[in-house]
Amino acid sequence: MTAPSPDFAGPPTAASAARIDIPGGRAVTHRDVAANGARFHVAELGDGPLVLLLHGFPQFWWTWRHQMTALADAGYRAVAMDLRGVGGSDRTPRGYDPANLALDVTGVIRSLGEPDAALVGHDLGGYLAWTAAVMRPKLVRRLVVSSMPHPRRWRSAMLADFGQTRASSHIWGFQRPFIPERQLVADDGALVGQLIRDWSGPVPPAEEELAVYRRAMCIPSTAHCSIEPYRWMMRSMARPDGLQFNRRMRRPVRVPTLHLHGSLDPVMRTRSAAGSGEYVEAPYRWRLFDGLGHFPHEEDPAAFTTELVNWLKDPEPDR
């Protein structure tokens, strides 16, 4: 990993978390774009068809540093955004339900001046990518999801599969008021580093990489905003808004979809993610990475990126 930029020194701020370097010394363009009533930080590299990258918990745009370089080299415009409430994006008091967060994503596509994008999402970013493909299909050219089943599949697993419920114990813990936020920022974000280590495969991430994520979580209000989507996802299950969202997600995904998963993922079980293809009425490809955990794009960036780029370049991806 390259050393963080000079702005990274001092107390953690949204600007210092957003504007850091990526390996190889590539010049990433950082800027803010307006979308869906908020301001979003994006990091951009390369020219060509837009590939919009969506991070998961407990990370921010920097998680896609390896893929951005490879995508730019392959002739794509790689843009990684910070989701609402994270990194360099606005921390709003509300708006963390998946429908609104998905409109953030599609709004950023429009603000970037593009007619559509290939969406690549991991974890929560994958959940939002599924949602955006259903809600605004004309803006999604292709869909790539890692470590996250289709939202309806996720809901079923959380309600009916004890193994998945146990694997997602952190989400149940997020339902408590105040305590989760304090735990995430205690000891300079030590819990963030522990979660990423525990959720990774046999090769743990480097401490200097964990330090970047720990620091980003300690920006004021980030911990609260990071877990608000999970509070909505659980608390809304029996509420009218949650039931309405679940019904809305019955609409099939009609864009080519690549679904990636680590065989050792301890957070999202393989049996929970597998089968999401039943919600896709388009070419669907399932790829299981043996020996990788919840972060395949960071644990083995070469294998992940090869799969991603080859599939994006395939003019007719088949089942």
Side-chain angles (χ1 to χ4, degrees):
M1 183 189 85
T2 58
S5 66
D7 290 339
F8 204 64
T13 65
S16 67
R19 290 162 173 81
I20 62 174
D21 297 330
I22 64 173
R26 298 292 291 272
V28 176
T29 299
H30 295 277
R31 59 190 176 108
D32 296 330
V33 298
N36 197 27
R39 178 190 56 83
F40 297 91
H41 165 260
V42 299
E44 183 174 347
L45 190 64
D47 295 298
L50 176 61
V51 179
L52 186 59
L53 302 145
L54 312 175
H55 66 84
F57 175 88
Q59 300 173 312
F60 65 114
W61 79 264
W62 192 74
T63 190
W64 297 112
R65 58 198 179 278
H66 303 292
Q67 286 71 40
M68 290 183 69
T69 302
L71 287 167
D73 290 342
Y76 293 97
R77 182 186 182 188
V79 177
M81 67 176 284
D82 285 329
L83 299 181
R84 182 182 292 253
V86 178
S89 296
D90 277 351
R91 286 148 179 77
T92 58
R94 58 187 62 86
Y96 295 93
D97 60 283
N100 191 65
L101 293 173
L103 292 179
D104 291 346
V105 172
T106 56
V108 166
I109 295 173
R110 290 195 181 99
S111 294
L112 291 171
E114 298 284 355
D116 56 32
L119 286 186
V120 182
H122 169 257
D123 187 78
L124 176 62
Y127 193 100
L128 302 182
W130 283 115
T131 305
V134 169
M135 293 179 58
R136 295 292 187 271
K138 292 183 179 180
L139 293 176
V140 181
R141 184 174 69 253
R142 291 199 182 191
L143 178 65
V144 182
V145 177
S146 175
S147 310
M148 177 58 66
H150 185 278
R152 286 181 61 88
R153 186 85 178 178
W154 180 89
R155 186 180 190 273
S156 297
M158 291 294 290
L159 290 174
D161 185 341
F162 176 73
Q164 183 57 62
T165 299
R166 183 172 54 188
S168 301
S169 60
H170 64 288
I171 297 179
W172 295 102
F174 288 163
Q175 307 312 307
R176 299 169 296 169
F178 309 119
I179 295 175
E181 288 91 336
R182 294 172 182 170
Q183 291 176 330
L184 283 172
V185 301
D187 298 324
D188 297 323
L191 179 58
V192 171
Q194 178 184 329
L195 290 175
I196 295 176
R197 279 192 299 268
D198 291 348
W199 296 350
S200 297
V203 180
E207 287 301 319
E208 59 266 26
E209 294 176 332
L210 296 178
V212 175
Y213 295 121
R214 291 174 58 181
R215 184 181 180 87
M217 186 62 71
C218 289
I219 299 169
S221 299
T222 300
H224 174 73
C225 296
S226 294
I227 61 181
E228 278 294 274
Y230 296 100
R231 285 175 170 156
W232 186 94
M233 289 159 68
M234 297 305 301
R235 296 174 184 179
S236 68
M237 281 192 177
R239 295 196 318 237
D241 55 337
L243 295 173
Q244 181 182 18
F245 173 76
N246 192 50
R247 286 194 298 270
R248 191 173 191 179
M249 292 305 295
R250 285 178 183 168
R251 274 188 255 164
V253 173
R254 292 193 170 95
V255 297
T257 301
L258 173 64
H259 200 175
L260 306 171
H261 203 80
S263 66
L264 301 181
D265 190 337
V267 179
M268 190 55 59
R269 305 176 74 202
T270 300
R271 63 180 294 176
S272 299
S276 295
E278 67 179 283
Y279 299 102
V280 181
E281 290 186 358
Y284 172 84
R285 185 178 298 175
W286 166 263
R287 170 74 160 89
L288 187 67
F289 292 104
D290 289 333
L292 299 184
H294 190 61
F295 307 97
H297 60 296
E298 291 200 75
E299 296 173 47
D300 191 346
F304 184 97
T305 304
T306 297
E307 190 77 24
L308 170 63
V309 172
N310 287 344
W311 184 81
L312 289 174
K313 285 188 170 295
D314 187 346
E316 295 182 358
D318 56 13
R319 292 181 184 271

